[in-house]
C-alpha cells in the first residue's frame, strides 16, 4: 500500500522466481539482489495481489518469510493508503484464507489471524460494529462456496475451524495490547472489544463444558479467556467461566494453561468491584488444598507451584476486600493458612522446591492492609493474625536452614546464588514482620536461642542456631534495637556459639556487625565478642564477614577500642596475605577509623608502622621493570593507601570526645596533618612509580585515587600538598592525558580555588590542563569521551567556584566554547550531561564577563543549531532532557538572541527533520521563548518537538 513505490512489480511468476533465487541460488550477490527486489515489491500497491497467489499450496513454504508478513505491517502502518472500497474485499480474502489454512501450517494460520486482527482494530467500531459475532458466523460449518474465495476449496473440518476461530479471537486482544495507539483511540477500542464479551463468554463456556471438546480445543478456550481478561472484562460477567476453569486443573494436559488463565482472571485489579464473584471463587481455591498437599508429599513441584500461584493471586490481589468481609473471615483465614503451607512447603529452595518464594510478598500485603485499618478494627484483626505471623516466623527460619555440608557442596553455583538471594528475601520479610510483632518477636528468638545453646543435644544441630542468629541479624540490620532488653543477653550468648562451621561463623560475624551501633552505646560488652571477630580475621574462609564486621565496629566504636589500638593482630593479616584485595581495602578503612580516635601525637607513629611494609613493597615494585603482575601489585598497594586515607580523619574526633575535659589540639595549630606528612614522605616514591607507568590509565587512576581520597577527607588540611600536587598533575597530563587527573584537579578547584595562597598554582594547573585538552579536541576527541566528560565537569566547577580564572589571557574562550559544543554531540550520556552543566554554568556569567559575552554573541547560533539538531534526531532521545536545560538557560540569559537564532536556524528546509512542518517549528519557538522559569514545562516542550522530528508523536513511543 506504499504510495512511494513508483515501480509496479512483475507478475506472480517473477515473484516465485525471485523467491527461488533467494532461497536456493548459491551466489550471495544474486541473493541480495532478490531480497532487495522482493522488499520493494512488498511495499508496492500490488503487494496483496501477488501475496494471495503465493499462498497456493505449491508455494506456501515461502509464505513464512514473505509478502503476508509484510502485509501485517502494511495494515498497521499504511492503513490510510488502502481505499475504503477495498476493506470488505480484503476482510473476506483474509477470512477465506484463514478457513483454508485452518489445519495448518500453523505459522501461516497465525500470521493470517494477526493480519485480520490488525485490520479489525482499524475498523472497530465504526466500520465493523460486531466483529466477534461476525467471525463466529463466518466459521460455522457451511457448504463450499466459490464466491468471494480464492478459487480453491475451503477446509470443512469443524474441529480445525473451531481451533482457527479460537486462535483468531485470542490474537485480537493481543494485537490490541501490542499496538501503538493514542490514548483516546485505545480507550475507544478497549470499550468496543469489552462490549463483545457478552457474545464471547457463553461460547467459551459451552466449549469448555462440552464432552465433545478435545483437550486441544479446551486449551485454546483457556488461552482465549486469558487473552480477553487483559481487556478488563467484568469478573461479574465471567466468574462462572472462571469457575469452569477450575475443573481443568484435574486434567494434567490442561493444568499449566488453566493455572495461567485463572491467575490472569483473578489478578485483575478491577475484580475487587465484584465481591460476590470473589466470594464464590474462594471455596474453589480452598478446594485445591488437598491436591496441593498431595503434590507436596509426592515432590510434584509443577502442581504445587501452580496451585500456590492461584492461592497467592487470590489472597494478595484482594487482601483488603476479603478482610473486610467479616461474615466470611474464616474462609479468608483458611486461605491465609493455605498460603502459609505454601511458604513452608517441604524441601530446600531452589533444588527441591520453587514454590515458597512466590508467597513472600503476600505477607507484606496482608500486614499493610491489617495495619491500615482504624485502631479498633485493627485490634480485632491482630488477635486473629498475630498468631499466624508467629507461625510464619518459625516457617521462615526453618526455610532459611542450610542443607548439610555434603548436600550444599553438591549444589551448583547458580543454585547457591539463588538460595543466597532467597535468604535475603526472607531476611527482608522478617524485618518487615517485626513491625507487627514488635519486641515479643525478639524475646521469642532469644528464648529459643538460649535453650538451644544451653542444651548440648540441640546445639549440635548448627543449622538451628544459625537460623535464629540469622533472624536476629535480619531485624537488627535495619530496626533500632537499642531499647531492646534482650540484646545484652544475646551479646552474652554469642561467645558460647561454636563457630567451627563456616556458614554458622559467617552469620555470627554478620550478627555482631548488625549490633555495632548498640555496642557503641554499651562499650563494656565489646570485650566479650571482639576476640571472636579477631579470630575470624585469621581464617580466609571468613574473610568477607569478619573484615566487614570489624570495619563496622571500628567505625561505630573507635573511641572504645584501646585493646585494638595497642596491638595489631588485624594488621598482621594484611602482611600474611590471608584476604583478597577488596577485603584488604576494608581492613585499611577499619584501621583508619581506629587511628582517627588516637591522640594526634600518637597517630603519625602508628601510621608509619602500619604502612611501612606496604611502602617498602611499593618501593621494590617501583624499581622493577613494568609487567602485568607488578601492575596489579602496585594498584593494590595504592588502593590500600586510598582506603586508609578515606577514613583517617582526625577532625571527626571532636564528635567522639564531646564533653571531654580538655579539647584536643588540631594539626593546623601546630603541625601538618599526619596524612599530609606521610604523603609528603612518599611523594618522591609515587613520582618514581609514575615515571614507569605514566602511559597506563589504571595505575595513573590509582595514584590520583590516593590524593583524591585524601583531599576529600582532609579538605583544607590538605593545603600543604597543593603546590607539589598541582605541579605533578600538570606534568602527568601534559605527557599522557588521563581523565582521572582532570577529576582530581576538579576536587582541588572545589576546595582551594577560594584560597589566595593557592590560587596561583591552581590557575597555572588549569591553563596547562586546558591547553593539552584543546589539542586533543583539535585532533578529534571522539575516542576520548571520558576526557571530554571530565574536562567539561572541571570547567563547570571553575565557573561555579572561581569564574575569575576565565579572565586569564592563557584561556582561549572561543576554543572552550567550541569544545562544549563538540561534547554535546557525543552519544554518551555522561559526556552530554557534563557539557550541558558547563553551558548552564557559563551562560549566566556572559553578562558580567565581556570575553564570554563576545563568544556567545559570535557562536551562540552554532550552540543553538547543535542542540536543535540533537533534539531533532541527531542524538539519542534519552539525552533530550539535558539539551532542554541548556535551552532554558539560553532563554533566561539571552532570550532575544535565542529567539533570533532559532528562527534563523529552523527556517532551513528539512532542518532539523523533514517530519516537522514550518508551522510546527513556529509553534515550538513560540512555546519555548515564553518559558523562562518552568523547567518541567521546557522539558515537555522539547520532548514533544523531539518526538515530532522523529515521527513518533502519537505512536506510543512517547510513553517510553
Amino acid at each position: 500500500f506504499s504510495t512511494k513505490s513508483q515501480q509496479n512489480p512483475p507478475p506472480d511468476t517473477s515473484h516465485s522466481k525471485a523467491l527461488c533465487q533467494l532461497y536456493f541460488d548459491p551466489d550471495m550477490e544474486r541473493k541480495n539482489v532478490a531480497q532487495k527486489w522482493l522488499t520493494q515489491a512488498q511495499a508496492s500497491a500490488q503487494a496483496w495481489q501477488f501475496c494471495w497467489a503465493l499462498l497456493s499450496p505449491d508455494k506456501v513454504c515461502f509464505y513464512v518469510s514473505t509478502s503476508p508478513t509484510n502485509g501485517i505491517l502494511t495494515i498497521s502502518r499504511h492503513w490510510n493508503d488502502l481505499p475504503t472500497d477495498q476493506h470488505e474485499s480484503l476482510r473476506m480474502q483474509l477470512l477465506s484464507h484463514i478457513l483454508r489454512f485452518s489445519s495448518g501450517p500453523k505459522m501461516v494460520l497465525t500470521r493470517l489471524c494477526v493480519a485480520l486482527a490488525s485490520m479489525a482494530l482499524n475498523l472497530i467500531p465504526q466500520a465493523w460494529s460486531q466483529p466477534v459475532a461476525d467471525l463466529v458466523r463466518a466459521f460455522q460449518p457451511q457448504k463450499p462456496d466459490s464466491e468471494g474465495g480464492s478459487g480453491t476449496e475451503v477446509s470443512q473440518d469443524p474441529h480445525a475451524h473451531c481451533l482457527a476461530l479460537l486462535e483468531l479471537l485470542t490474537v485480537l486482544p493481543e494485537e490490541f495490547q501490542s499496538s501503538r495507539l493514542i490514548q483516546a483511540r485505545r480507550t475507544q477500542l478497549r470499550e468496543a472489544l469489552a462490549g463483545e464479551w457478552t457474545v464471547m463468554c457463553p461460547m467459551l463456556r459451552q466449549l469448555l463444558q462440552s464432552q465433545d471438546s478435545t483437550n486441544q480445543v479446551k486449551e485454546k478456550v483457556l488461552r482465549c479467556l486469558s487473552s480477553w481478561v487483559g481487556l478488563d472484562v467484568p469478573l461479574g460477567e465471567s466468574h462462572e467461566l472462571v469457575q469452569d476453569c477450575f475443573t481443568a486443573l484435574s486434567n494434567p494436559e490442561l493444568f499449566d494453561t488453566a493455572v495461567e488463565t485463572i491467575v490472569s482472571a483473578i489478578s485483575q485489579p478491577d475484580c475487587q468491584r465484584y465481591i460476590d464473584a470473589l466470594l464464590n471463587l474462594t471455596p474453589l481455591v480452598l478446594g485445591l488444598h488437598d491436591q496441593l498437599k498431595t503434590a507436596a508429599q509426592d515432590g510434584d513441584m509443577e502442581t504445587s507451584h501452580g496451585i500456590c500461584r492461584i492461592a497467592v493471586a487470590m489472597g494478595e490481589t484482594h487482601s483488603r476486600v476479603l478482610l473486610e468481609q467479616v461474615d466470611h473471615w474464616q474462609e479468608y483465614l483458611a486461605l491465609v493458612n493455605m498460603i502459609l503451607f505454601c511458604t513452608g512447603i517441604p524441601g530446600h529452595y531452589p533444588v527441591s522446591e520453587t514454590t515458597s518464594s512466590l508467597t513472600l510478598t503476600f505477607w507484606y500485603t496482608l500486614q499493610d492492609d491489617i495495619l491500615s485499618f482504624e485502631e479498633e478494627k485493627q485490634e480485632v484483626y491482630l488477635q486473629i493474625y498475630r498468631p499466624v505471623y508467629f507461625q510464619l516466623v518459625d516457617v521462615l527460619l526453618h526455610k532459611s536452614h542450610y542443607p548439610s555440608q555434603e548436600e550444599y557442596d553438591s549444589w551448583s553455583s547458580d543454585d547457591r546464588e539463588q538460595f543466597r538471594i532467597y535468604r535475603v528475601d526472607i531476611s527482608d520479610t522478617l524485618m518487615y514482620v517485626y513491625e507487627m510483632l514488635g519486641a515479643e518477636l525478639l524475646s521469642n528468638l532469644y528464648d529459643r536461642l538460649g535453650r538451644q545453646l544451653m542444651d548440648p543435644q540441640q546445639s549440635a544441630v548448627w543449622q538451628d542456631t544459625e537460623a535464629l542468629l540469622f533472624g536476629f541479624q535480619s531485624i537488627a540490620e535495619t530496626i533500632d534495637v537499642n531499647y531492646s532488653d534482650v540484646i545484652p543477653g544475646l551479646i552474652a550468648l554469642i561467645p558460647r556459639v561454636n563457630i567451627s562451621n563456616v556458614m554458622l561463623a559467617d552469620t555470627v560475624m554478620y550478627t555482631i556487625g548488625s549490633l555495632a551501633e548498640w555496642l557503641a552505646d554499651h562499650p563494656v560488652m565489646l570485650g566479650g565478642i571482639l576476640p571472636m571477630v579477631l579470630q575470624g580475621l585469621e581464617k580466609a574462609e571468613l574473610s568477607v564477614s569478619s573484615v566487614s564486621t570489624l570495619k563496622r565496629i571500628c567505625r561505630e566504636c573507635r573511641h572504645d577500642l584501646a585493646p585494638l589500638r595497642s596491638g595489631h593482630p588485624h594488621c598482621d593479616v594484611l602482611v600474611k596475605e590471608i584476604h583478597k584485595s577488596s577485603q584488604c581495602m576494608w581492613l585499611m578503612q577499619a584501621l583508619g577509623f581506629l587511628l582517627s580516635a588516637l591522640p594526634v601525637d600518637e597517630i603519625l607513629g602508628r601510621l608509619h608502622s602500619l604502612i611501612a611494609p606496604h611502602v617498602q613493597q611499593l618501593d621494590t615494585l617501583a624499581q622493577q621493570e613494568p609487567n602485568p603482575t607488578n601492575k596489579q601489585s602496585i594498584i593494590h598497594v595504592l588502593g590500600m593507601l586510598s582506603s586508609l586515607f578515606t577514613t583517617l580523619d582526625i577532625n571527626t574526633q571532636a564528635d567522639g570526645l564531646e564533653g571531654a575535659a580538655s579539647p584536643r589540639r588540631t594539626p593546623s595549630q601546630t603541625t601538618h596533618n599526619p596524612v599530609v606528612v606521610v604523603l609528603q614522605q612518599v611523594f618522591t616514591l609515587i613520582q618514581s612509580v609514575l615515571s614507569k607507568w605514566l602511559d597506563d590509565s589504571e595505575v595513573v587512576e590509582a595514584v590520583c585515587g590516593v590524593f583524591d581520597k585524601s583531599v576529600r577527607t582532609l579538605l583544607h588540611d590538605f593545603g600543604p600538598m597543593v603546590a607539589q600536587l598541582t605541579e605533578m598533575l600538570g606534568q602527568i597530563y601534559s605527557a599522557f592525558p588521563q581523565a582521572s587527573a582532570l577529576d582530581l584537579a576538579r576536587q582541588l578547584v572545589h576546595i582551594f580555588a577560594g584560597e589566595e595562597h593557592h590560587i596561583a598554582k591552581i590557575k597555572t594547573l588549569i591553563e596547562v590542563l586546558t591547553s593539552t585538552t584543546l589539542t586533543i579536541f583539535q585532533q578529534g576527541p571522539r575516542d576520548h569521551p571520558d576526557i571530554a566528560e571530565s574536562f567539561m565537569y572541571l570547567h563547570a566547577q571553575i565557573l561555579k567556584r572561581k569564574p575569575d580564572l576565565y579572565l586569564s589571557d592563557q584561556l582561549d574562550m572561543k576554543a572552550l566554547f567550541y569544545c562544549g559544543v563538540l561534547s554535546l554531540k557525543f552519544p554518551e550520556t555522561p559526556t552530554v550531561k557534563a557539557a550541558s552543566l558547563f553551558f548552564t554554568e557559563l551562560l549566566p556569567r556572559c553578562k558580567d564577563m565581556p570575553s564570554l559575552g563576545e563568544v556567545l554573541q559570535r557562536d551562540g547560533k552554532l550552540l543553538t543549531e547543535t542542540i536543535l539538531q540533537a533534539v531533532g534526531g541527531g542524538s539519542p532521545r534519552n539525552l533530550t532532557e539535558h539539551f532542554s536545560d541548556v535551552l532554558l538557560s539560553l532563554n533566561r540569559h539571552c532570550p532575544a538572541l535565542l529567539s533570533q537564532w532559532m528562527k534563523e536556524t529552523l527556517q532551513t528546509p528539512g532542518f532539523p527533520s523533514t517530519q516537522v512542518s514550518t508551522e510546527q517549528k513556529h509553534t515550538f519557538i513560540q512555546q519555548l521563548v515564553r518559558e523562562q522559569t518552568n523547567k518541567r514545562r521546557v522539558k515537555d516542550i522539547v520532548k514533544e518537538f523531539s518526538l515530532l522530528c522523529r515521527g513518533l508523536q502519537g505512536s506510543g513511543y512517547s510513553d517510553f
Side-chain angles (χ1 to χ4, degrees):
F1 302 117
S2 174
T3 56
K4 297 176 184 178
S5 179
Q6 301 299 318
Q7 179 181 356
N8 291 336
D12 167 50
T13 52
S14 299
H15 287 86
S16 300
K17 183 178 179 181
L19 285 167
C20 290
Q21 184 173 309
L22 177 65
Y23 280 93
F24 303 117
D25 196 314
D27 188 335
M28 283 303 300
E29 186 174 346
R30 296 182 66 184
K31 279 178 178 286
N32 292 335
V33 170
Q35 174 71 33
K36 184 177 180 181
W37 186 84
L38 282 166
T39 301
Q40 290 177 337
Q42 287 175 347
S44 70
Q46 290 78 21
W48 282 106
Q49 297 173 15
F50 66 77
C51 83
W52 303 125
L54 289 175
L55 284 172
S56 61
D58 59 328
K59 299 186 181 74
V60 74
C61 61
F62 298 117
Y63 174 89
V64 173
S65 62
T66 57
S67 303
T69 307
N70 187 65
I72 298 166
L73 298 176
T74 301
I75 288 175
S76 60
R77 295 182 183 176
H78 302 287
W79 175 255
N80 293 331
D81 295 334
L82 180 66
T84 305
D85 58 7
Q86 293 185 24
H87 289 176
E88 184 63 21
S89 171
L90 175 58
R91 186 171 78 177
M92 297 308 297
Q93 282 275 36
L94 285 168
L95 275 170
S96 174
H97 281 81
I98 288 171
L99 287 166
R100 185 169 137 208
F101 288 101
S102 59
S103 299
K106 189 176 187 309
M107 181 69 79
V108 177
L109 175 63
T110 299
R111 293 194 172 181
L112 283 168
C113 287
V114 171
L116 183 54
S118 184
M119 180 181 185
L121 294 180
N122 282 284
L123 295 175
I124 298 172
Q126 291 87 350
W128 198 356
S129 59
Q130 297 179 316
V132 173
D134 293 345
L135 290 173
V136 171
R137 277 194 297 272
F139 280 81
Q140 294 295 326
Q142 53 188 293
K143 295 180 181 180
D145 186 358
S146 60
E147 292 183 17
S150 59
T152 59
E153 186 172 334
V154 171
S155 165
Q156 288 299 306
D157 181 356
H159 181 257
H161 282 199
C162 182
L163 291 174
L165 173 62
L166 290 169
E167 174 72 13
L168 180 54
L169 293 175
T170 302
V171 164
L172 186 58
E174 293 173 350
E175 273 300 288
F176 166 76
Q177 300 288 9
S178 62
S179 295
R180 300 188 183 103
L181 303 164
I182 61 173
Q183 189 57 44
R185 176 60 177 158
R186 179 171 292 277
T187 301
Q188 182 190 41
L189 269 179
R190 183 186 293 276
E191 291 175 354
L193 290 172
E196 295 291 289
W197 183 241
T198 54
V199 179
M200 284 278 299
C201 190
M203 180 189 71
L204 296 180
R205 282 203 75 191
Q206 181 182 355
L207 289 173
L208 197 58
Q209 293 175 345
S210 174
Q211 298 293 326
D212 297 330
S213 294
T214 64
N215 283 344
Q216 194 176 8
V217 168
K218 291 182 177 179
E219 183 178 11
K220 283 284 186 184
V221 169
L222 293 168
R223 293 189 186 281
C224 188
L225 170 58
S226 186
S227 177
W228 277 77
V229 295
L231 298 175
D232 297 331
V233 294
L235 181 64
E237 298 177 12
S238 57
H239 69 96
E240 292 177 337
L241 176 57
V242 177
Q243 291 176 26
D244 294 339
C245 295
F246 278 82
T247 62
L249 293 170
S250 59
N251 187 330
E253 292 184 28
L254 300 177
F255 180 83
D256 290 341
T257 309
V259 168
E260 292 294 337
T261 302
I262 294 170
V263 169
S264 297
I266 63 180
S267 296
Q268 302 301 316
D270 190 57
C271 293
Q272 296 183 4
R273 295 195 294 128
Y274 306 98
I275 296 172
D276 290 341
L278 290 173
L279 293 175
N280 289 332
L281 289 172
T282 302
L284 295 177
V285 178
L286 294 175
L288 300 173
H289 204 160
D290 289 340
Q291 188 179 354
L292 171 65
K293 289 179 179 177
T294 302
Q297 291 171 359
D298 297 342
D300 183 351
M301 293 170 64
E302 287 76 14
T303 300
S304 58
H305 193 89
I307 294 175
C308 176
R309 286 185 61 200
I310 293 172
V312 170
M314 176 64 81
E316 185 173 346
T317 309
H318 311 295
S319 172
R320 187 176 183 88
V321 169
L322 295 175
L323 278 171
E324 289 174 335
Q325 310 312 304
V326 292
D327 293 336
H328 299 270
W329 70 270
Q330 290 175 313
E331 288 183 9
Y332 189 60
L333 179 60
L335 179 61
V336 170
N337 281 313
M338 182 177 176
I339 296 173
L340 182 63
F341 176 84
C342 294
T343 305
I345 203 160
H348 273 113
Y349 183 94
V351 176
S352 52
E353 69 91 2
T354 56
T355 299
S356 58
S357 63
L358 301 175
T359 67
L360 297 182
T361 56
F362 163 76
W363 300 108
Y364 287 77
T365 303
L366 177 59
Q367 178 175 316
D368 285 345
D369 287 335
I370 290 173
L371 297 181
S372 69
F373 287 118
E374 59 275 13
E375 188 174 346
E376 184 177 339
K377 200 171 184 180
Q378 184 184 126
E379 196 61 39
V380 175
Y381 284 114
L382 286 175
Q383 289 181 9
I384 298 172
Y385 288 102
R386 268 175 63 89
V388 176
Y389 271 82
F390 274 111
Q391 292 179 55
L392 172 65
V393 171
D394 292 342
V395 167
L396 291 175
L397 293 178
H398 181 73
K399 293 298 293 184
S400 70
H401 276 199
Y402 281 96
S404 66
Q405 191 67 53
E406 181 181 0
E407 183 182 348
Y408 190 69
D409 290 341
S410 69
W411 285 12
S412 68
S413 58
D414 284 346
D415 288 338
R416 292 187 189 190
E417 176 61 12
Q418 285 190 54
F419 182 62
R420 184 194 68 78
I421 295 170
Y422 176 66
R423 277 173 56 98
V424 171
D425 292 339
I426 288 178
S427 175
D428 292 342
T429 308
L430 288 170
M431 177 271 295
Y432 206 74
V433 165
Y434 179 82
E435 184 181 354
M436 177 181 278
L437 302 182
E440 190 179 346
L441 172 56
L442 289 178
S443 298
N444 183 296
L445 294 176
Y446 173 70
D447 291 342
R448 290 173 59 183
L449 180 63
R451 287 195 298 270
Q452 278 191 10
L453 294 178
M454 297 302 176
D455 185 340
Q457 290 185 338
Q458 289 191 42
S459 61
V461 184
W462 66 266
Q463 286 95 335
D464 292 337
T465 304
E466 192 278 335
L468 289 169
L469 288 171
F470 173 71
F472 267 114
Q473 178 215 332
S474 301
I475 296 166
E477 199 69 63
T478 50
I479 302 295
D480 182 5
V481 295
N482 279 356
Y483 301 103
S484 172
D485 56 1
V486 304
I487 301 301
L490 173 63
I491 296 292
L493 282 176
I494 285 177
R496 301 179 66 95
V497 178
N498 182 347
I499 59 172
S500 57
N501 179 277
V502 172
M503 288 175 281
L504 174 57
D506 262 337
T507 302
V508 168
M509 294 297 163
Y510 286 127
T511 304
I512 295 171
S514 70
L515 298 170
E517 289 186 25
W518 186 92
L519 289 167
D521 293 332
H522 306 82
V524 70
M525 305 297 289
L526 278 167
I529 60 170
L530 203 52
M532 295 185 75
V533 180
L534 297 179
Q535 181 185 346
L537 289 178
E538 299 287 341
K539 299 179 180 179
E541 61 271 21
L542 299 180
S543 176
V544 175
S545 59
S546 62
V547 172
S548 65
T549 296
L550 179 66
K551 177 185 170 184
R552 294 179 72 171
I553 291 175
C554 290
R555 183 181 63 214
E556 302 297 337
C557 313
R558 67 186 78 176
H559 303 293
D560 304 294
L561 293 175
L564 270 185
R565 294 195 294 267
S566 60
H568 295 288
H570 45 297
C571 303
D572 296 339
V573 298
L574 289 169
V575 181
K576 293 178 183 177
E577 298 183 356
I578 294 174
H579 303 283
K580 293 181 180 178
S581 181
S582 57
Q583 278 73 61
C584 288
M585 306 302 166
W586 292 355
L587 264 178
M588 292 299 271
Q589 289 178 18
L591 293 169
F593 287 126
L594 280 180
L595 291 174
S596 299
L598 287 171
V600 176
D601 295 340
E602 295 183 26
I603 292 178
L604 189 57
R606 295 292 181 85
L607 185 57
H608 275 141
S609 62
L610 171 60
I611 68 171
H614 309 296
V615 172
Q616 185 177 356
Q617 182 187 5
L618 188 63
D619 189 22
T620 303
L621 292 167
Q623 297 174 29
Q624 298 174 359
E625 289 303 311
N627 64 65
T629 304
N630 289 355
K631 172 182 171 179
Q632 292 308 315
S633 298
I634 289 172
I635 291 173
H636 174 73
V637 173
L638 292 171
M640 289 207 294
L641 292 177
S642 297
S643 298
L644 177 63
F645 299 154
T646 300
T647 56
L648 206 173
D649 183 8
I650 62 175
N651 293 318
T652 61
Q653 260 207 353
D655 298 332
L657 297 179
E658 186 175 354
S662 59
R664 210 172 89 121
R665 87 192 142 77
T666 62
S668 59
Q669 294 170 322
T670 55
T671 184
H672 291 164
N673 188 293
V675 172
V676 171
V677 174
V678 169
L679 286 175
Q680 288 174 330
Q681 291 170 348
V682 300
F683 197 82
T684 303
L685 174 57
I686 290 176
Q687 287 180 309
S688 177
V689 171
L690 283 173
S691 66
K692 292 186 177 180
W693 292 93
L694 193 56
D695 60 346
D696 191 290
S697 60
E698 292 179 74
V699 174
V700 173
E701 185 176 350
V703 168
C704 290
V706 173
F707 294 103
D708 184 77
K709 294 294 191 295
S710 301
V711 74
R712 287 172 184 268
T713 304
L714 303 183
L715 301 177
H716 295 282
D717 284 353
F718 188 82
M721 288 295 304
V722 171
Q724 287 175 285
L725 184 56
T726 51
E727 184 178 352
M728 185 183 79
L729 272 181
Q731 293 170 353
I732 291 175
Y733 196 78
S734 298
F736 200 85
Q738 304 273 11
S740 54
L742 294 171
D743 294 334
L744 179 52
R746 176 158 56 104
Q747 285 301 319
L748 294 176
V749 169
H750 177 64
I751 304 297
F752 297 106
E755 298 187 10
E756 289 301 320
H757 53 291
H758 292 307
I759 193 63
K761 292 289 184 182
I762 289 178
K763 179 185 176 200
T764 302
L765 173 62
I766 297 304
E767 290 171 354
V768 171
L769 298 178
T770 301
S771 174
T772 304
T773 309
L774 291 179
T775 303
I776 295 174
F777 271 86
Q778 289 168 1
Q779 295 170 351
R782 184 63 198 92
D783 295 333
H784 306 284
D786 56 336
I787 289 178
E789 176 193 344
S790 296
F791 186 63
M792 290 292 102
Y793 275 130
L794 170 61
H795 276 274
Q797 185 70 266
I798 294 169
L799 287 162
K800 184 176 183 179
R801 298 288 293 173
K802 194 67 174 175
D804 291 351
L805 290 175
Y806 269 53
L807 299 175
S808 169
D809 295 336
Q810 301 300 314
L811 291 182
D812 187 338
M813 298 297 124
K814 182 176 180 180
L816 279 171
F817 194 95
Y818 189 64
C819 287
V821 171
L822 286 178
S823 298
L824 287 173
K825 296 182 178 182
F826 276 66
E828 289 84 3
T829 299
T831 307
V832 173
K833 184 178 180 181
S836 300
L837 180 63
F838 166 70
F839 280 113
T840 55
E841 291 290 348
L842 180 144
L843 293 170
R845 310 287 180 187
C846 291
K847 287 184 180 179
D848 302 328
M849 303 181 71
S851 57
L852 286 179
E854 291 173 9
V855 173
L856 180 63
Q857 288 276 355
R858 185 172 55 247
D859 294 325
K861 182 179 176 181
L862 173 62
L863 172 61
T864 305
E865 181 181 345
T866 301
I867 293 173
L868 292 176
Q869 186 174 23
V871 168
S875 294
R877 281 177 51 221
N878 63 311
L879 299 179
T880 303
E881 180 178 343
H882 304 300
F883 298 127
S884 68
D885 290 340
V886 184
L887 287 173
L888 176 60
S889 188
L890 281 166
N891 200 28
R892 279 178 178 171
H893 302 290
C894 48
L897 287 172
L898 175 63
S899 178
Q900 175 189 333
W901 293 330
M902 289 181 68
K903 288 175 182 176
E904 292 174 0
T905 303
L906 291 176
Q907 72 180 5
T908 305
F911 181 87
S913 165
T914 56
Q915 300 275 356
V916 285
S917 65
T918 302
E919 183 180 350
Q920 288 170 324
K921 294 180 189 180
H922 179 68
T923 301
F924 171 59
I925 295 171
Q926 284 186 320
Q927 289 178 331
L928 190 64
V929 296
R930 279 200 299 263
E931 293 293 342
Q932 294 188 353
T933 56
N934 192 330
K935 189 174 182 180
R936 172 52 54 194
R937 175 62 182 145
V938 170
K939 287 181 179 179
D940 290 341
I941 292 169
V942 175
K943 177 184 176 183
E944 185 178 356
F945 184 68
S946 180
L947 291 169
L948 282 172
C949 290
R950 299 166 198 261
L952 300 176
Q953 183 66 16
S955 67
Y957 277 114
S958 55
D959 298 328
F960 304 140

